[in-house]
Amino acid sequence: MVGSVERDHGSLHCNGSIHNSNGAEKRLDELRGLLGKSNGDLLKIVGIGAGAWGSVFAALLQDAYGHFREKVQIRIWRRAGRSVDRSTAEHLFEVINSREDVLRRLIRRCAYLKYVEARLGDRTLYADEILRDGFCLNMIDTPLCPLKVVTNLQEAVWDADIVVNGLPSTETREVFEEINRYWKERITAPIIISLAKGIEAALDPVPRIVTPTQMIRCATGVPIENILYLGGPNIASEIYDKEYANARICGSDKWRKPLATFLRQPHFIVWDNSDLVTHEVMGGLKNVYAIGAGMVAALTNESATSKSVYFAHCTSEMIFITHLLAEQPEKLAGPLLADTYVTLLKGRNAWYGQMLAKGELSPDMGDSIKGKGMIQGVSAVDAFYELLSQPSLSVLHPEENKPVAPVELCPILKTLHRILIKREVSTQAILQALRDETMNDPRERIEIAQSHAFYRPSLLGQP
């Protein structure tokens, strides 16, 4: 079913004036023109997946363009049937009552009573139901605008012009294989923007990284020029609260610049870049080391010294890995460090590492956490470890003067794998890795990478 969105005349008048003055309708018309839309023909945009970033992304588009109802339709798909437990319902009720604008909106929509009943335990709320009212289950404290929600995947995607992938990388392949069944009769390929930050490892016929955009291409057959990646150093809730942020949309010349213009807002600046896969992989790499940063912070009682030691070692490993993945790795240093920094400050992967170290979570509980969603760094640890442990990728060890798998020069990654995947040591092992007197100066790891021809194009599926 499709939810309805009530028009808030006051806020939409204000928002409409702001967006019009910033050329929102002109940007919309330009994109419609590029897609061959005639008058009366809706530009149909659908988000797939309603995690924090996927929901915020849809809400940003709804706020910016949703009032042009004769020109664009913006919807979001999520699975039906996910119930909201009572403790979350009670917290949601507190959030509603702390925000007068939200409270008034729900009363006008005759939707307030169901939240009262849920708080009392007399009614069960569902995730798709509250999303229609502007509440993301993974981000209860940040109310969004009401969204048009579709729970039938075929209805959501069959004639969509732009599909936004907000799914975790671990679910992307499966869902887009299903989507492909609904696109058999399509004449023109849609545009797909992936927000996912995660990777998989493939070992045959050669070791290589598989990214969400590659999964989508394989599952659907949509040309790679129509598949783009958008990422950047940002926290979803802060972007919706209009904290200044930036991101990059990466992909083909044909679509990345028009989409960067379309997505840009006064507080959300979107740049563009042609290097699709490498930026996508970097988005997954920083999640790996964010988990370890959270562990170190919790185990050392937020010691600034310990965290800085960890940062020195983890960034040297990331730079080392970047030299394996990119022909011109220096171009990625800024975006990678910025994305890493924000994730260490407030990202869910760093939070997960903290909870593990505090004993409030355990690896046995899995990587899908209530109120947070999928912790992408866990699967990324496994993928990077598997890839970098392959003998075919060997590099020369600086002291032993013999070929070793790249992972042997990445002690933090090895330790995270032992904690999260093998589960053979506790989180305390991350501190032991930092305190190991035989560990080389992290500067040396960077110098090794910079002084050798490490680049392995096959890792990203390049010839």
Side-chain angles (χ1 to χ4, degrees):
M1 293 180 64
V2 181
S4 61
V5 177
E6 180 188 69
R7 188 169 185 135
D8 184 335
H9 293 283
S11 64
L12 278 183
H13 176 74
C14 176
N15 288 343
S17 298
I18 292 173
H19 291 308
N20 284 333
S21 66
N22 286 312
E25 187 168 15
K26 180 182 178 182
R27 293 195 299 272
L28 176 57
D29 287 340
E30 288 174 350
L31 186 60
R32 282 171 49 83
L34 289 173
L35 287 163
K37 293 295 179 181
S38 58
N39 290 337
D41 190 8
L42 286 175
L43 172 64
K44 296 183 178 181
I45 303 174
V46 62
I48 302 299
W53 187 208
S55 297
V56 163
F57 196 83
L60 289 174
L61 292 176
Q62 179 66 34
D63 281 338
Y65 299 107
H67 51 293
F68 300 116
R69 294 185 175 185
E70 296 180 355
K71 297 184 177 185
V72 65
Q73 177 191 76
I74 300 162
R75 304 192 293 177
I76 187 168
W77 171 84
R78 72 153 296 136
R79 294 180 179 90
R82 174 75 180 275
S83 60
V84 179
D85 62 56
R86 185 170 176 181
S87 63
T88 303
E90 290 172 348
H91 181 55
L92 181 54
F93 185 76
E94 293 174 359
V95 171
I96 291 168
N97 283 285
S98 69
R99 291 277 300 266
E100 183 178 345
D101 58 330
V102 176
L103 179 61
R104 289 182 179 278
R105 170 163 57 79
L106 292 175
I107 291 174
R108 284 198 304 271
R109 291 165 59 91
C110 300
Y112 180 67
L113 181 59
K114 65 185 178 186
Y115 293 98
V116 176
E117 293 173 341
R119 174 182 176 273
L120 297 173
D122 296 336
R123 188 187 195 285
T124 299
L125 294 171
Y126 292 92
D128 58 290
E129 175 185 19
I130 66 172
L131 188 59
R132 292 185 174 92
D133 292 327
F135 303 106
C136 171
L137 190 58
N138 292 344
M139 197 175 56
I140 291 297
D141 290 313
T142 304
L144 309 174
C145 64
L147 294 171
K148 296 178 180 177
V149 181
V150 189
T151 57
N152 182 295
L153 185 58
Q154 181 175 7
E155 178 188 346
V157 303
W158 74 274
D159 63 345
D161 299 297
I162 299 175
V163 175
V164 179
N165 175 37
L167 296 164
S169 59
T170 49
E171 297 179 21
T172 294
R173 187 191 309 275
E174 178 184 355
V175 173
F176 274 86
E177 285 175 349
E178 181 178 351
I179 288 173
N180 187 51
R181 299 204 298 268
Y182 309 135
W183 283 349
K184 295 295 187 184
E185 305 302 320
R186 284 191 72 122
I187 298 174
T188 59
I191 296 170
I192 300 172
I193 303 172
S194 181
L195 310 177
K197 294 182 176 180
I199 69 160
E200 291 181 358
L203 301 182
D204 294 319
V206 294
R208 68 191 188 282
I209 290 170
V210 182
T211 67
T213 62
Q214 293 170 331
M215 297 175 201
I216 292 168
R217 182 187 183 188
C218 181
T220 64
V222 170
I224 193 62
E225 71 173 10
N226 278 37
I227 306 176
L228 302 100
Y229 164 73
L230 185 138
N234 43 60
I235 300 297
S237 61
E238 294 183 349
I239 290 177
Y240 198 72
D241 286 338
K242 291 185 168 47
E243 296 290 338
Y244 180 79
N246 58 64
R248 280 181 179 83
I249 188 161
C250 304
S252 68
D253 293 342
K254 181 177 180 180
W255 292 117
R256 72 175 190 269
K257 290 186 181 297
L259 287 170
T261 300
F262 178 71
L263 296 173
R264 182 172 295 177
Q265 297 186 24
H267 68 286
F268 184 58
I269 303 304
V270 180
W271 299 313
D272 68 278
N273 191 281
S274 62
D275 194 347
L276 167 64
V277 175
T278 312
H279 277 85
E280 195 177 11
V281 172
M282 294 302 104
L285 181 60
K286 55 87 180 176
N287 285 335
V288 168
Y289 292 95
I291 295 177
M295 293 177 184
V296 170
L299 292 170
T300 63
N301 196 28
E302 298 289 343
S303 162
T305 300
S306 296
K307 288 192 289 186
S308 67
V309 170
Y310 176 83
F311 191 73
H313 284 294
C314 80
T315 50
S316 73
E317 287 190 21
M318 286 192 288
I319 291 169
F320 177 80
I321 293 170
T322 302
H323 278 71
L324 289 167
L325 299 174
E327 189 171 12
Q328 296 179 304
E330 62 279 358
K331 292 184 177 180
L332 297 169
L336 176 58
L337 290 176
D339 208 353
T340 301
Y341 181 65
V342 76
T343 305
L344 301 191
L345 287 176
K346 202 174 179 180
R348 76 180 70 179
N349 288 278
W351 170 88
Y352 178 72
Q354 288 182 320
M355 294 301 102
L356 290 177
K358 291 177 179 179
E360 296 181 28
L361 294 174
S362 75
D364 293 335
M365 296 170 67
D367 52 7
S368 182
I369 306 299
K370 172 188 169 185
K372 291 290 183 179
M374 185 64 66
I375 308 300
Q376 295 278 12
V378 177
S379 60
V381 166
D382 195 26
F384 277 109
Y385 180 89
E386 286 297 318
L387 284 167
L388 300 182
S389 62
Q390 298 303 305
S392 62
L393 302 173
S394 292
V395 298
L396 190 66
H397 194 286
E399 293 181 347
E400 300 177 10
N401 198 32
K402 67 177 183 180
V404 296
V407 76
E408 296 303 321
L409 297 177
C410 299
I412 302 297
L413 175 59
K414 286 181 64 177
T415 302
L416 289 171
H417 189 262
R418 294 182 67 200
I419 296 170
L420 298 170
I421 309 302
K422 291 185 176 180
R423 301 176 187 174
E424 61 186 23
V425 293
S426 72
T427 54
Q428 286 283 343
I430 198 74
L431 296 184
Q432 184 58 42
L434 293 183
R435 294 167 180 165
D436 187 347
E437 294 181 3
T438 64
M439 180 179 281
N440 293 327
D441 184 335
R443 173 187 57 81
E444 296 175 6
R445 187 180 295 107
I446 297 172
E447 288 180 350
I448 292 167
Q450 292 175 335
S451 61
H452 293 76
F454 273 12
Y455 176 44
R456 302 289 191 275
S458 59
L459 274 171
L460 297 187
Q462 305 297 323

